[in-house]
Amino acid sequence: MRFDRIIPLQQQQQPQRRRLLLLSLGLPLLVRAPSVHAADTLHSLTFKDDVGRELTLKTPLKRVVVFNRYTTEFVRAVAGMQPVVGVDIDSARSHSYWPTVTPAMLAGQGQSSPNYEAIVAMQPDAVFFPRNSDWQKAVTVLGRFGIPVVVVTAWDVLKHEENVTLFGRLFEQPQRATKLNAFYRRYRDLLAQRLQNLPMAQRKRVYIEEVGAYKTLLKGSGWHDMVEVGGGVNVFRDVSVLSQPSARGSVQGFSVDPEEVVARMPDVIVKLEPGQYEPHSRAFSLQVLEAVAARPGFDRIPAVRNLPVQVYHISYYLAGGCSKIIGALQIAKWLYPDRFKDIDPDQVMRTWLEDFQQVPAPGGYTASLAELRK
């Protein structure tokens, strides 16, 4: 369990108490892992995680379980995959993108449904959850075994640098973290510079939709931030989930009325899907985008009515690349081609995949209905 690497008070539990805790959860009894060799140099790191909890861990982390693909990408970019002993189903199902992940590393179906028995058996030094997960329960359950939970939200485009810097400290890889932050900062600053003199009234209005029909993304989600960092105005930016029925969803996927989409008259429509490393086919993109443009009343929307048609398809993999900064770059390229005519988001994505993720870059992650119709 490597309790010798963890500072929380649970470290002081007596062996008999630990056995009782394991049995109370129906988990198998585990033998305590051997102590760290004296040759290993460990340091204490105190920090605050994404929800403001102060934690102290022994570093560098050697064994981690990671929930949420974006967080796993950060770990791979900063520390490689050797420390990763467990992942959720999103990383376990894509062998081509995660070639080192095996079925034995499955730690749960998702960030809100971890397999605690599997996690405890993996004996991690820490488990990473994003803030929109069931991290509170994880803190309670895993805390009984001296396993710390760290909340880090890697999909948050606005917290990229502090997240990556933290990973650099946790894994003691500051140079790799600095390199990744420089890559991100280059395009974040480029976007800010080229959009700084564009008045809000002149910014294009965007309707962004996830896989589900009429399911949009609201302020508080990384997808909303991606649109607005890219110079767009999310047409549903004013909607607060707190004032809406819970059945309509969350900021990560909120059901809207078809008539309301038409009434908000977006200049651009961006459709997110599919969530896979392999690029989508042109035939698939054409089918998806034609279906969107053909919806009742959409012929009155500027995005469909005006020529060229401004209806686009973007894969979650490019959209979410490097804390969604590559997605923001693609949005900006679509919205303001004259301002970004020298920028190639596909090439930026290639660098992200090949240099930081150590996987091939297949390309073909975006499509334009206007181009597909030619």
Side-chain angles (χ1 to χ4, degrees):
M1 194 81 56
R2 300 186 70 122
F3 297 99
D4 52 300
R5 296 176 51 78
I6 303 169
I7 285 181
L9 292 178
Q10 291 88 341
Q11 180 183 16
Q12 306 302 322
Q13 293 174 333
Q14 297 300 317
Q16 181 61 30
R17 184 182 176 194
R18 196 182 309 283
R19 294 189 187 95
L20 292 174
L21 285 170
L22 284 164
L23 292 171
S24 71
L25 285 179
L27 302 181
L29 293 178
L30 299 173
V31 178
R32 177 170 173 164
S35 298
V36 178
H37 295 299
D40 291 343
T41 302
L42 298 179
H43 308 94
S44 294
L45 176 66
T46 299
F47 62 95
K48 288 187 177 180
D49 71 0
D50 196 23
V51 291
R53 297 181 308 132
E54 186 171 280
L55 302 172
T56 300
L57 302 183
K58 291 291 188 179
T59 63
L61 298 178
K62 297 292 187 180
R63 299 177 61 84
V64 296
V65 172
V66 190
F67 285 86
N68 192 278
R69 172 173 66 86
Y70 303 114
T71 311
T72 314
E73 287 178 333
F74 275 4
V75 174
R76 179 159 65 177
V78 172
M81 287 297 287
Q82 185 175 356
V84 180
V85 296
V87 296
D88 62 13
I89 190 65
D90 193 23
S91 298
R93 67 159 59 102
S94 180
H95 182 70
S96 55
Y97 192 61
W98 303 104
T100 63
V101 172
T102 66
M105 295 170 65
L106 182 62
Q109 293 300 304
Q111 62 194 38
S112 295
S113 53
N115 182 335
Y116 292 113
E117 180 176 352
I119 293 172
V120 172
M122 291 169 182
Q123 305 183 38
D125 302 326
V127 182
F128 293 106
F129 284 91
R131 65 173 178 264
N132 60 324
S133 67
D134 195 7
W135 62 266
Q136 295 96 331
K137 181 178 179 181
V139 169
T140 299
V141 175
L142 296 176
R144 298 171 186 171
F145 306 100
I147 300 175
V149 169
V150 183
V151 181
V152 178
T153 311
W155 53 255
D156 191 337
V157 66
L158 305 181
K159 287 196 169 186
H160 174 97
E161 289 195 83
E162 63 183 89
N163 287 337
V164 170
T165 299
L166 176 59
F167 279 118
R169 297 173 68 197
L170 289 172
F171 294 99
E172 295 190 358
Q173 293 286 349
Q175 292 182 332
R176 294 178 68 168
T178 297
K179 180 181 177 182
L180 177 53
N181 272 339
F183 174 75
Y184 165 86
R185 189 164 49 248
R186 173 184 176 185
Y187 296 106
R188 181 204 64 188
D189 293 350
L190 182 146
L191 284 164
Q193 179 183 15
R194 297 193 183 185
L195 295 169
Q196 64 180 345
N197 63 347
L198 185 64
M200 184 63 69
Q202 296 179 18
R203 299 199 174 204
K204 293 189 177 180
R205 295 167 54 77
V206 178
Y207 169 59
I208 182 169
E209 184 178 278
E210 50 113 297
V211 174
Y214 298 107
K215 293 198 74 173
T216 194
L217 296 312
L218 304 181
K219 190 173 183 179
S221 74
W223 306 112
H224 164 87
D225 294 330
M226 177 187 75
V227 169
E228 304 228 334
V229 170
V233 176
N234 183 354
V235 295
F236 285 98
R237 72 196 310 264
D238 61 309
V239 175
S240 170
V241 293
L242 299 178
S243 62
Q244 300 291 330
S246 60
R248 298 190 71 174
S250 68
V251 296
Q252 306 291 347
F254 185 82
S255 296
V256 294
D257 297 327
E259 297 80 7
E260 189 65 17
V261 178
V262 175
R264 293 184 181 234
M265 302 296 281
D267 301 303
V268 175
I269 296 174
V270 176
K271 179 70 173 175
L272 281 163
E273 67 174 329
Q276 62 185 49
Y277 167 55
E278 295 74 15
H280 41 261
S281 69
R282 301 296 90 180
F284 175 80
S285 295
L286 180 61
Q287 180 183 19
V288 167
L289 295 182
E290 288 287 15
V292 170
R295 290 175 183 174
F298 273 38
D299 57 343
R300 301 197 303 273
I301 293 176
V304 178
R305 182 188 67 217
N306 298 338
L307 297 178
V309 173
Q310 301 288 301
V311 181
Y312 301 99
H313 177 204
I314 184 170
S315 164
Y316 278 100
Y317 266 73
L318 185 142
C322 195
S323 298
K324 298 183 174 62
I325 200 65
I326 305 176
L329 203 62
Q330 182 63 73
I331 295 288
K333 178 84 171 182
W334 282 332
L335 270 54
Y336 313 106
D338 290 342
R339 291 174 181 253
F340 294 90
K341 58 185 176 181
D342 61 323
I343 301 300
D344 183 0
D346 284 338
Q347 184 56 48
V348 180
M349 183 64 171
R350 180 175 298 278
T351 301
W352 165 247
L353 291 177
E354 293 181 348
D355 292 2
F356 293 99
Q357 296 305 309
Q358 301 297 307
V359 295
Y365 286 124
T366 64
S368 159
L369 181 56
E371 293 296 323
L372 291 171
R373 282 176 170 177
K374 290 182 179 179

